[in-house]
Amino acid sequence: MGPGCCSFFFCWGVGTGSSSLWNLMGNAMVMTQYIRLTPDMQSKQGALWNRVPCFLRDWELQVHFKIHGQGKKNLHGDGLAIWYTKDRMQPGPVFGNMDKFVGLGVFVDTYPNEEKQQEAQKRRYSPGVQRVFPYISVMVNNGSLSYDHERDGRPTELGGCTAIVRNLHYDTFLVIRYVKRHLTIMMDIDGKHEWRDCLEVPGVRLPRGYYFGTSSITGDLSDNHDVISLKLFELTVERTPEEEKLHRDVFMPSVDNMKLPEMTAPLQPLSGLALFLIVFFSLVFSVFAIVIGIILYNKWQEQSRKRFY
């Protein structure tokens, strides 16, 4: 396996990217050397989305980012997300993007909402359950699941790892690799220029033709969330004939051995005519049933009288 051509390359301010392939949204700002998704101010949200859908089968996305601000420990937030989704440019509550998205979300969460709630209730997690923030997590959604912000996405998380990425004096990188339905997240956040494993999830089925993007949001707490570069590479992968059969294109995101709720179409409200017909025929049926009941009752009484004569 090796990297092939670079399908898109975003590196703002050094003349190597094409701004025509990208859209900014919300409070995102063009700076000299990067895109600032949100400034270190309350109640801001911003996003950067690629305009061209990705039809690669196996790919790797490298993200160069920086999260920094004036807030002290646990007084900053909320983080950023990297997306590969069916819909683009849809603002919402999930790190600045829509809830119940269709596709993949990778979250760099810098504020422990659930832990703070537990502390307020004077409850504690056991050491094996508690997560240390900042924290990277992954979610695959077919549009039926909501991201639980109050619990930092724990109910729908496929996996994750601690990633101390805030207010560092060296570059921080994240790589998302999708090969043969294996999703791998690695990071370079120690200033050593080495990739370190975060998580690996087998059996992830992602359709082709979705969009890459990144977004961020701040609430009562804030940070600067900057994106310096996004690089997508096509990976050259050999497959056996059996793998070719197994790895056919899919049309809805899913994860093997994980049951996602089915998408159900909402029921259309009944029109006035339909409601009238239902009520009318219900009354007709009720009258008919009453008449039949009276006839049968009279026959039964008549038969009873004949037995006594």
Side-chain angles (χ1 to χ4, degrees):
M1 179 180 68
C5 63
C6 186
S7 296
F8 67 67
F9 184 78
F10 163 82
C11 190
W12 204 267
V14 295
T16 53
S18 175
S19 59
S20 64
L21 298 178
W22 299 90
N23 287 122
L24 298 178
M25 186 177 69
N27 301 115
M29 298 180 291
V30 179
M31 311 300 283
T32 305
Q33 299 291 330
Y34 52 86
I35 295 292
R36 175 152 290 170
L37 299 176
T38 61
D40 191 358
M41 300 172 64
Q42 294 178 339
S43 303
K44 302 294 182 181
Q45 68 177 50
L48 173 71
W49 284 93
N50 193 259
R51 295 180 179 178
V52 182
C54 174
F55 288 95
L56 302 182
R57 196 175 188 182
D58 304 283
W59 48 264
E60 178 178 289
L61 180 69
Q62 297 179 9
V63 185
H64 184 186
F65 67 98
K66 187 175 182 66
I67 301 176
H68 57 105
Q70 298 298 317
K72 303 301 181 181
K73 179 177 174 61
N74 290 334
L75 292 175
H76 51 80
D78 284 320
L80 60 83
I82 301 103
W83 304 98
Y84 175 67
T85 55
K86 180 179 179 180
D87 302 298
R88 61 188 291 274
M89 303 290 287
Q90 300 294 324
V94 186
F95 293 89
N97 191 42
M98 64 183 291
D99 196 10
K100 295 189 175 182
F101 60 90
V102 178
L104 168 71
V106 178
F107 311 119
V108 184
D109 194 347
T110 58
Y111 185 77
N113 291 284
E114 186 176 26
E115 180 181 321
K116 293 303 177 184
Q117 291 181 12
Q118 295 289 325
E119 289 180 0
Q121 298 171 7
K122 297 183 179 180
R123 297 166 59 189
R124 293 286 184 179
Y125 282 116
S126 63
V129 176
Q130 186 175 10
R131 297 178 293 183
V132 178
F133 282 71
Y135 187 83
I136 296 174
S137 64
V138 170
M139 176 180 176
V140 171
N141 199 351
N142 64 359
S144 65
L145 301 174
S146 283
Y147 178 86
D148 190 341
H149 180 73
E150 298 302 319
R151 298 192 61 194
D152 303 305
R154 187 189 289 266
T156 52
E157 173 191 325
L158 293 179
C161 67
T162 296
I164 307 302
V165 295
R166 188 176 177 273
N167 279 351
L168 299 179
H169 300 294
Y170 43 82
D171 292 334
T172 49
F173 300 87
L174 182 71
V175 65
I176 305 169
R177 180 178 294 166
Y178 182 65
V179 178
K180 290 186 177 182
R181 294 186 174 168
H182 273 69
L183 180 69
T184 304
I185 308 294
M186 295 182 292
M187 53 190 179
D188 176 6
I189 60 173
D190 301 316
K192 299 179 180 179
H193 303 290
E194 296 177 354
W195 292 117
R196 178 157 57 91
D197 291 338
C198 175
L199 64 93
E200 182 176 356
V201 184
V204 176
R205 300 168 184 262
L206 298 175
R208 293 196 269 186
Y210 284 9
Y211 296 92
F212 285 102
T214 179
S215 66
S216 179
I217 193 170
T218 65
D220 293 334
L221 303 176
S222 62
D223 255 338
N224 296 305
H225 299 94
D226 302 335
V227 176
I228 302 162
S229 70
L230 290 165
K231 303 176 186 178
L232 178 69
F233 295 94
E234 180 178 14
L235 300 179
T236 303
V237 181
E238 294 184 359
R239 283 180 168 82
T240 65
E242 291 77 14
E243 288 176 330
E244 288 289 347
K245 293 179 181 179
L246 290 173
H247 297 171
R248 292 175 180 172
D249 285 350
V250 296
F251 301 99
M252 186 61 70
S254 64
V255 181
D256 291 352
N257 302 319
M258 176 182 175
K259 181 65 175 177
L260 295 178
E262 297 291 337
M263 287 293 291
T264 56
L267 295 175
Q268 296 295 326
L270 294 174
S271 66
L273 178 61
L275 187 60
F276 169 77
L277 291 175
I278 290 175
V279 173
F280 174 76
F281 284 111
S282 297
L283 290 174
V284 170
F285 177 79
S286 298
V287 171
F288 181 75
I290 291 172
V291 170
I292 294 297
I294 292 173
I295 292 174
L296 292 175
Y297 177 74
N298 290 335
K299 285 189 175 182
W300 175 78
Q301 280 191 325
E302 193 174 322
Q303 290 293 332
S304 297
R305 285 196 297 267
K306 287 182 179 180
R307 286 197 203 100
F308 291 107
Y309 288 114

